[in-house]
Amino acid sequence: MRELIDSSDPAAQDELEVLSVLTERWESDRAAVPPPTPLEAIQFRMAQGGLKPRDLEPYIGSRSRVSEVLSGARPLSIDMIRALHHHLGIPAASLIGLEVETRNEPPAPSKAAMKKLRSLGVMGHAETFSHYLERSFAGAPSAALLRKTRTARTNAKTDQSALAAWCGAVLLQARAVTLSPRTMELNPQSARTLASLSTQSNGPVEARHLLARMGVILVVIDHLPGTYLDGAALRRQDGTPVVALTLRHDRVDNFWFTLLHECAHAFLHLGGNRPIIVDDLEVAGEDDMEAEADRFASDALIPPEVWTRANRPDLTPRNVLAIAERANVHPAIIAGRWQREYSDYRRFSRMLGRGEVRRLFAASA
């Protein structure tokens, strides 16, 4: 083989190919090298990149959780596998070899999450967590549902038990809602109508009524400690789409973008094996589904032809107001879009409508 590699003779190349196959077969039979364990793969990548355990915290979680994984005391979760593969380039096949957490149901979340859950009024003070999950998911296995529906926009540090608890709270609240017969369809055109409500002082609350006419339930409920959530799209047990928002960033621009993003999931992506989609919009969404939802929300809020003419680095507050009028949306939406696209979060910071959304839902409760 060593002699044949440098030859340009076609016959020599054919012989080289045959010898390569025979050599590979001999090596696999006589001198097979076992694949690395996931822990070995992580340690190799750390050595290769000069990484310290603290560098794994964005992908695995807290310092103690990283320590447990590196010592072999904690198996990798699916979210950890996804984050390590996506951000550190560790082959997924190497990471999947480690036993993945496959409990039928997650254990109870942290005390802080349980306290918050009970304060929301969806879980009884004497009720066990397993009974709560069974009741809120109507007997369906919540862990299996969440494993199927995670996307690249789920924070790797998410406490899966708290996430299941939050989704259960959303479903319980949605179960109590009775919708009238649908009079509109959720589509790009009606999404523009929804976006125009942002110009009204009570627009976020009015959005709930308009979505109801489209056959969609809007639930606004605080996130639980350890969930890192902006919103989610779910299906109620009877198939009714549910859009859920946490308002963890109480700003006008964030409310409307998250709302339209989750509406896109409800319109385009829910169904079949995907009854739940959860989003931390601070995590970059690079898969096709998230990119499509981002585009749907952006176009619904600001028509592309309007943004193309207005998008420039030297935008002024007066320009923002003029563009908002042209797009028929709240100025905060223009300011927030500009901040994201230019990564400048100082300019227009006073135009984002901070603290203006949560109080509207509190007043309408």
Side-chain angles (χ1 to χ4, degrees), residues 212-260:
R213 292 172 57 193
M214 300 177 193
V216 179
I217 297 170
L218 174 60
V219 172
V220 176
I221 186 168
D222 286 351
H223 73 288
L224 301 182
T227 55
Y228 307 96
L229 276 177
D230 289 298
L234 308 86
R235 288 259 185 213
R236 199 167 66 174
Q237 281 77 14
D238 62 0
T240 302
V242 180
V243 166
L245 305 180
T246 66
L247 305 185
R248 67 167 176 158
H249 301 299
D250 186 4
R251 304 192 317 262
V252 168
D253 69 308
N254 184 267
F255 170 84
W256 289 102
F257 184 83
T258 306
L259 177 70
L260 269 299

Side-chain angles (χ1 to χ4, degrees), residues 12 31 56 71 77 110 165 167 169 206 211 215 250 277 292 304 333 355 360:
L56 300 183
S71 67
S77 69
S110 67
C167 290
E206 291 300 319
L211 282 171
D250 186 4
I277 300 171
E292 189 173 31
I333 293 169
L360 293 175

